[in-house]
Amino acid sequence: MARIGNSELEIFPLGLGGNTFGNTTDPEASEKVLDAFVDAGGNHVDTADSYSAWVPGNRGGESETILGEWMRRRRNRHSMVIATKVGAHPEFKGLAPKNIARAAEASLRRLQTDYIDLYYAHYDDESQPIEEIAAAFDRLVREGKVRYVGISNVSPERIDAWVRLAAENGLAVPVALQPEYNLVSRRNYEENLAPLAETHRLGVLPYFGLASGFLTGKYRTEADLAGRTRARAVARYLNEDGLRVIDALESIATARETAIATVALAWLLARPTVTAPLASANTVEQLAELTAAPALELTADEVARLDEASQPFA
């Protein structure tokens, strides 16, 4: 198990992303994935109040609703570590204090729980002073509605200001950072955010750990993207540099008799600041490749090979 920063939250070293629930997986398929995740040792599910508002006919909150209903049916809320986020739901945009409070109440209802283990600022809202944002999150912690605070998609300067202000004023200090980070998206995290994570002892839970599916090895030509919902996100990696990373992953995966996706996530777990990557699955079969990552310890030579192959992205 891995501990998230300075918190008491202990999780399986891989978090399950809830962005597919109510999106590419219906409630029944979502529950099968959730059951398989727990059976594999998983206990941390990451969602957001805005998932999946972008799907035609959805309003936002579908993922939380599916997760909440699943926990009610399984009666397993206390064995799970649930993270959700505020700031991007169509009805609860931004980080104004009143909005944070209202959004948290809506998330609690959908999740059918009276507390959120880890509550993230999903995106920054620079119209709001950090002092007011920090105080609003602290209020939720003091009320017992949130156990710990996390930060995602906030500038390094504002992250540093938030953590320092909270520590100096006795407010709830953020314990987690959720950045985009993977083998083909290294530069911003390694240059700007990793130093902050080390300085403030933040648990790091990267999203897009598989680069929207590119690091599974499924997409190697333009033809592979035809009809795919993530075609635009993946297309930017379909070049000589990106395919060199896939070749390195495939070489190691073949030698270790495992999947390319497993190796890509194992590389993240080998990074000194990473607590647990986040990854999502549409099917139980896909999930097996993800949950195998914590048991795959890459050698120093394998890590160095992947570091070298992904250097253009660093």
Side-chain angles (χ1 to χ4, degrees):
M1 301 295 275
R3 186 181 293 267
I4 299 178
N6 287 322
S7 78
E8 296 181 355
L9 302 175
E10 292 193 347
I11 62 170
F12 181 71
L14 179 95
L16 181 63
N19 57 310
T20 61
F21 306 155
N23 176 11
T24 51
T25 52
D26 61 22
E28 183 180 356
S30 299
E31 291 202 0
K32 288 179 180 178
V33 169
L34 284 161
D35 286 340
F37 179 63
V38 170
D39 288 345
N43 68 330
H44 177 47
V45 181
D46 178 270
T47 185
D49 64 356
S50 59
Y51 299 166
S52 303
W54 57 88
V55 176
N58 283 4
R59 298 179 57 186
E62 288 77 16
S63 175
E64 290 180 330
T65 298
I66 289 171
L67 180 55
E69 184 62 18
W70 173 77
M71 289 190 294
R72 184 190 67 79
R73 292 174 186 267
R74 301 298 181 267
R75 299 183 180 180
N76 63 356
R77 173 66 187 94
H78 293 291
S79 64
M80 302 300 297
V81 176
I82 302 300
T84 192
K85 310 179 190 76
V86 56
H89 189 286
E91 297 175 26
F92 304 105
K93 290 277 191 180
L95 298 178
K98 287 184 179 179
N99 186 69
I100 292 171
R102 291 173 59 238
E105 292 292 347
S107 287
L108 288 167
R109 285 194 298 273
R110 287 188 292 263
L111 289 166
Q112 300 189 48
T113 184
D114 55 4
Y115 68 97
I116 296 164
D117 295 293
L118 183 57
Y119 199 40
Y120 286 95
H122 200 168
Y123 297 94
D124 199 3
D125 178 357
E126 295 190 1
S127 71
Q128 300 298 317
I130 282 293
E131 294 84 352
E132 294 189 15
I133 295 173
F137 275 85
D138 176 74
R139 194 171 300 114
L140 291 172
V141 173
R142 293 180 185 275
E143 292 172 350
K145 296 172 183 176
V146 166
R147 294 181 65 193
Y148 295 100
V149 176
I151 302 174
S152 184
N153 303 307
V154 174
S155 70
E157 296 76 20
R158 297 259 288 179
I159 292 170
D160 188 60
W162 186 341
V163 176
R164 292 184 185 280
L165 179 143
E168 292 167 2
N169 291 276
L171 304 178
V173 178
V175 300
L177 176 66
Q178 189 176 135
E180 179 177 357
Y181 186 40
N182 57 60
L183 276 160
V184 290
S185 183
R186 293 179 54 186
R187 186 171 298 117
N188 181 53
Y189 174 73
E190 292 179 0
E191 290 184 1
N192 302 316
L193 298 173
L196 278 177
E198 288 187 280
T199 297
H200 297 305
R201 297 182 63 190
L202 298 170
V204 177
L205 298 99
Y207 67 84
F208 287 169
L210 294 175
S212 298
F214 176 72
L215 295 175
T216 65
K218 291 188 296 187
Y219 309 112
R220 306 190 193 214
T221 68
E222 292 290 340
D224 293 334
L225 296 179
R228 300 285 184 169
T229 57
R230 294 182 175 181
R232 184 179 298 178
V234 174
R236 58 184 165 146
Y237 304 125
L238 276 181
N239 52 49
E240 186 177 332
D241 290 335
L243 293 174
R244 188 180 300 113
V245 173
I246 296 297
D247 288 343
L249 285 168
E250 185 173 42
S251 174
I252 294 169
T254 299
R256 299 295 292 270
E257 298 183 335
T258 191
I260 289 174
T262 307
V263 178
L265 293 172
W267 177 83
L268 278 172
L269 282 165
R271 312 312 284 178
T273 54
V274 171
T275 304
L278 303 171
S280 54
N282 290 315
T283 66
V284 171
E285 290 73 24
Q286 289 177 347
L287 182 71
E289 296 183 357
L290 313 181
T291 54
L296 180 65
E297 186 172 349
L298 299 178
T299 66
D301 176 64
E302 289 167 337
V303 171
R305 285 162 60 191
L306 292 171
D307 286 351
E308 182 179 359
S310 60
Q311 193 58 41
F313 301 98

